[in-house]
């Protein structure tokens, strides 16, 4: 019985032939800073592993394997949850090399040799060693959004589910969400206030500054800048496991007075955004969202309340 959730990639490392743990850690850090999607990162990680990409399930053959998965990835594809140690992987070493090239990731010699030689190939669909594998998704981002929507309905607030697999640069998603919120506020479209815009998924951050970032706080800081203090709009965003980026902070909150309070403290919001310093920004305002470990992980959660 395999209980697998997000974070499994980090908790179950077994580097492939000629690759050290330090090599994989360095490659992973570079991918996180590059703006690569979670699917792209997982493709590379699977092909540099000796246990992911279906290899653990293959090692269990001929035993029956029952997968119970908690999804933290857009689209809930089992091969991307913890880099798919117990499911087939249709992607290839060539795909991984293309991703590395696309984002200009510097590969150590051993890792490059593993990919270029094809020795890092994963277990493919139709492999007889996977015939006894059964997979069930027991918690997903969509389930979290539906639960939040029910809470909103009980409170007399109309929920609008915008999607459970929204990706892209966090700051760009923030701008788009601000435009939707302002359309609701000004024109009552696509629904009238009071309402709450709910969304999930996993955005990315291309790191250009040296601040204390995280995709949810970067999203919120961009959202606040774009809203420019619009009345009656509040928002919360956080990683459902309680850790946004590398900080033991789930995310943060914004309100119509977020920017004015920052300026009063001598903090320039746009400068904080340019420096990828979302955590520093919200910590200074006392608006960080600290939950502690939630013991689950169904990706990011975002809610924008329009009153």
């Amino acid at each position: 019985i395999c209980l697998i959730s997000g974070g499994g990639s980090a908790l179950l490392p077994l580097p492939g032939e000629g690759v050290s743990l330090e090599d994989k850690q360095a490659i992973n850090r570079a991918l996180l800073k590059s703006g690569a999607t979670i699917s792209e990162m997982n493709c590379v990680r699977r092909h540099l592993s000796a246990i992911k990409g279906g290899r653990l399930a293959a090692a269990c053959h001929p035993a029956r394997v029952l997968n119970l998965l908690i999804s933290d990835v857009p689209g809930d594809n089992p091969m991307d949850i913890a880099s798919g140690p117990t499911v087939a992987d249709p992607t290839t070493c060539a795909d991984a090399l293309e991703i590395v090239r696309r984002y200009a990731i510097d590969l150590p010699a051993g890792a490059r040799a593993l990919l270029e030689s094809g020795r890092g190939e994963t277990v493919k669909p139709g492999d007889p060693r996977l015939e006894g594998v059964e997979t069930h998704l027991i918690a997903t981002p969509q389930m979290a959004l539906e639960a939040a929507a029910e809470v909103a309905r009980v409170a007399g607030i109309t929920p609008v589910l915008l999607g459970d697999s929204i990706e892209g640069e966090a700051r760009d998603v923030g701008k788009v969400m601000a435009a939707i919120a302002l359309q609701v506020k000004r024109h009552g479209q696509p629904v009238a206030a009071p309402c709450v815009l709910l969304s999930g998924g996993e955005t990315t951050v291309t790191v250009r500054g040296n601040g204390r970032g995280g995709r949810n706080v970067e999203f919120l800081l961009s959202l606040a800048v774009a809203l420019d203090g619009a009345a009656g709009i509040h928002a919360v965003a956080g990683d459902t496991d309680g850790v946004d980026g590398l900080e033991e902070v789930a995310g943060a909150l914004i309100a119509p007075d977020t920017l004015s309070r920052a300026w009063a403290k001598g903090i320039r919001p746009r400068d904080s955004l340019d420096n990828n310093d979302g955590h520093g920004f919200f910590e200074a305002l006392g608006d960080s969202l600290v939950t502690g470990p939630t013991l689950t992980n169904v990706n990011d959660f975002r809610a924008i309340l329009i009153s």
Side-chain angles (χ1 to χ4, degrees):
I1 298 177
C2 296
L3 309 177
I4 298 178
S5 69
S9 290
L11 293 172
L12 190 68
L14 183 61
E17 177 188 343
V19 182
S20 69
L21 180 59
E22 291 73 20
D23 288 341
K24 283 201 72 177
Q25 289 170 329
I27 294 166
N28 191 56
R29 284 194 294 269
L31 285 166
L32 285 169
K33 291 182 178 180
S34 73
T37 67
I38 188 62
S39 292
E40 290 171 328
M41 287 190 280
N42 280 335
C43 177
V44 175
R45 290 192 286 216
R46 284 193 299 271
H47 290 91
L48 294 176
S49 174
I51 195 168
K52 300 179 175 103
R55 295 180 181 91
L56 179 58
C60 293
H61 179 77
R64 176 189 174 201
V65 175
L66 176 63
N67 292 322
L68 303 177
L69 309 184
I70 295 178
S71 173
D72 72 325
V73 296
D76 305 328
N77 193 326
M79 75 176 182
D80 284 329
I81 302 170
S83 298
T86 55
V87 295
D89 172 30
T91 66
T92 65
C93 286
D95 294 327
L97 281 167
E98 170 57 23
I99 292 164
V100 167
R101 183 203 62 77
R102 187 180 306 153
Y103 294 100
I105 304 299
D106 185 25
L107 284 182
R112 182 167 293 279
L114 184 63
L115 295 179
E116 290 181 344
S117 67
R119 297 194 309 274
E121 206 51 82
T122 50
V123 182
K124 301 306 176 197
D127 191 297
R129 294 172 295 174
L130 303 185
E131 289 179 354
V133 175
E134 182 180 341
T135 300
H136 298 275
L137 288 162
I138 60 173
T140 67
Q142 179 65 18
M143 293 179 189
L145 295 181
E146 290 173 357
E150 182 57 28
V151 171
R153 291 188 192 98
V154 170
I157 297 167
T158 302
V160 181
L161 275 64
L162 298 177
D164 69 341
S165 55
I166 294 174
E167 297 182 272
E169 284 287 326
R171 63 180 61 201
D172 293 339
V173 175
K175 293 176 184 176
V176 172
M177 294 291 186
I180 297 172
L182 291 172
Q183 185 72 7
V184 171
K185 185 70 179 178
R186 295 167 180 167
H187 304 292
Q189 298 169 332
V191 295
C195 67
V196 60
L197 309 178
L198 301 171
S199 66
E202 186 161 300
T203 60
T204 53
V205 175
T206 301
V207 178
R208 298 180 177 88
N210 58 7
R212 294 161 49 220
R215 57 185 182 261
N216 287 286
V217 288
E218 178 130 337
F219 160 79
L220 284 169
L221 184 48
S222 175
L223 178 70
V225 169
L227 289 173
D228 195 25
I233 302 178
H234 298 72
V236 60
D239 197 315
T240 53
D241 65 2
V243 179
D244 185 35
L246 299 177
E247 298 274 337
E248 296 294 324
V249 178
L253 306 156
I254 68 166
D257 65 350
T258 293
L259 299 188
S260 62
R261 287 189 293 120
W263 291 323
K265 289 180 174 288
I267 301 170
R268 297 178 178 179
R270 290 184 184 275
D271 288 351
S272 295
L273 183 60
D274 290 341
N275 196 35
N276 302 119
D277 194 29
H279 280 305
F281 178 88
F282 289 109
E283 182 179 69
L285 296 183
D287 290 342
S288 298
L289 178 63
V290 181
T291 62
T294 64
L295 307 183
T296 192
N297 186 6
V298 289
N299 220 321
D300 296 337
F301 175 82
R302 296 178 289 268
I304 304 173
L305 176 66
I306 304 143
S307 61

